[in-house]
Amino acid sequence: MGWMRYELAGMDLADVRFAVSPLNELVLSLRTWREPGRYPLHLPWLRRTQEARSRLDGEMLLALTNEVLWTPDFLTPRPRSPLTRIDDELAAVAATPDGVVARELAALHPGGRPAPFRDPLPRVRRRLLDALTAYWDACFAPYWPRMRAVLQADVVHRGAVISARGAGAMFADLSPRVSFADGVVSVRLGSSTTDLRRPTTGEGLTLVPTLFTGGASAPISAEEPPMIMYGVRGTGTLWQAERHVAGAALVAVLGRARAGLLTALEHPASSTELARRLDVTTSAVNQHLRVLRDAGLLTSARSGRSVLYLRSEVGDALVGPTG
């Protein structure tokens, strides 16, 4: 059993920061393709995306993880903030030195390179990026607002634990694999026998919540930036249909479906996102949204390829402060 031990500089918690990585989630989710039985909480998502996944470059995507569910470190980079963008992370992957890409892909499958990795490296990299981009667009983009909300809620919770009970309690609550004592954060490294120790001076320690692990992990290299990925709280609620409770008077005026939509639109959302969140068809949502907008209860604006809806001032007044 191996360990990664991070020495916090002077036990200064200003060196500890939280961040969210869309690319980490995208890559780690490939584990659910290979071993769906180990991720039962994500089975509803796997069912919903089954048709879309059948049209993707599954040969390349599945080659990016192996039998022990490892993934290359260059595909799970340390994010910089809770607001990291997938486009920025994919650009960083495109700029990864050839030597790093070749070394990590070879280490991923030491028994021999699978077919997608046998082409010249520039072609492999291009195919890899195209496959990940298509996977994001088809299976993640429609669900990302919901995923991101769970991840960011976890970050808020960890901050509250630090304030109320201290850093030791926060680290201990991340995972049974993580502990904190005398200014050192220790992470137990699964099946690895590596035992490493490094200071965080000048780099800090980044804590990254993820929906696609049940424990915690760290890069198995003293050269990689200090980072711990840990299982997020609330994954069990992620794929449950949301039920926004509208007031009885509002239901009486608008009907239950439209009252629920109006109540849900405290923050901007697209019809596709609303359909996913409420577990109804997009066509039914669009019909109700048009009626609510024509009545002056919603406003709409285009954002990229989507139209976002938000309650108008009249809609806010109708819902009231308690919804």
Side-chain angles (χ1 to χ4, degrees), residues 69-278:
L69 303 184
W70 285 2
T71 55
D73 283 342
F74 80 92
L75 290 180
T76 52
R78 182 171 70 159
R80 297 296 180 183
S81 84
L83 304 175
T84 309
R85 298 174 63 249
I86 184 68
D87 291 345
D88 295 334
E89 293 190 300
L90 290 172
V93 171
T96 303
D98 286 351
V100 173
V101 175
R103 182 175 65 251
E104 293 191 5
L105 291 182
L108 186 64
H109 298 285
R113 289 182 298 172
F117 296 167
R118 293 174 193 161
D119 288 330
L121 189 60
R123 188 178 302 172
V124 171
R125 187 198 298 262
R126 184 70 263 161
R127 181 179 172 186
L128 180 156
L129 287 167
D130 287 346
L132 288 173
T133 300
Y135 180 33
W136 174 269
D137 289 342
C139 300
F140 260 72
Y143 303 97
W144 181 241
R146 191 168 183 176
M147 293 177 169
R148 183 178 56 206
V150 173
L151 295 165
Q152 291 178 340
D154 184 90
V155 170
V156 172
H157 167 77
R158 305 298 175 182
V161 172
I162 293 175
S163 297
R165 298 161 50 204
M170 184 276 292
F171 281 114
D173 192 46
L174 290 182
S175 166
R177 292 173 177 258
V178 179
S179 60
F180 176 68
D182 300 325
V184 177
V185 182
S186 300
V187 185
R188 192 169 73 245
L189 297 175
S191 60
S192 171
T193 58
T194 302
D195 198 349
L196 299 171
R197 189 180 185 101
R198 75 184 303 270
T200 62
T201 307
E203 295 184 282
L205 172 62
T206 302
L207 305 179
V208 183
T210 172
L211 297 160
F212 295 98
T213 185
S217 63
I220 309 176
S221 169
E223 306 302 318
E224 293 291 328
M227 178 175 72
I228 299 173
M229 290 186 288
Y230 66 90
V232 73
R233 302 166 67 253
T235 302
T237 65
L238 181 61
W239 305 119
Q240 294 176 0
E242 295 182 14
R243 297 292 178 238
H244 294 274
V245 179
L250 189 62
V251 171
V253 172
L254 297 177
R256 188 167 302 279
R258 291 172 186 169
L261 277 172
L262 191 63
T263 303
L265 280 168
E266 179 182 3
H267 303 289
S270 68
S271 59
T272 302
E273 180 187 343
L274 288 165
R276 306 283 189 191
R277 285 165 51 186
L278 302 176

